[in-house]
Amino acid sequence: MRAASGLARVWADGGYTGHLTDWTSQHLGLVLDIVRRSEDVRGFQPLPRRWVVERSFAWFLRSRRLVRDYERRTDTSEAVIRWSMIALMNRRLAAQSRRPAVSTAG
């Protein structure tokens, strides 16, 4: 069973260590990378790839429907997430098309 057609790698917090990495590769066909915090560093340390997840959640939560957990079915939730990202990309493309073209002629 494949989780999603375009999904191949998933990053997870250190709390998901254990048999989950083997399970995701066997049952879902995904590579699960655990992002761990270094043992010798004290205080705040930015974790690699963590910003990707945090930024994505921030983009999702800009959609009112995703602020609360209303969906009971995972396929409905997935559809709302896709809709949210399509709306985000449409806004970005519309903003790009409004910018004046830059002349490269010398």
Side-chain angles (χ1 to χ4, degrees), residues 29-43:
L30 297 173
V31 175
L32 180 67
D33 287 337
I34 304 296
V35 179
R36 290 190 177 86
R37 185 177 166 181
S38 180
E39 299 285 331
D40 57 344
V41 176
R42 297 185 60 85

Side-chain angles (χ1 to χ4, degrees), residues 8-39:
R9 182 174 299 270
V10 176
W11 290 283
D13 192 66
Y16 294 99
T17 57
H19 297 292
L20 186 60
T21 54
D22 296 332
W23 187 87
T24 54
S25 64
Q26 290 174 356
H27 292 80
L28 301 176
L30 297 173
V31 175
L32 180 67
D33 287 337
I34 304 296
V35 179
R36 290 190 177 86
R37 185 177 166 181
S38 180
E39 299 285 331

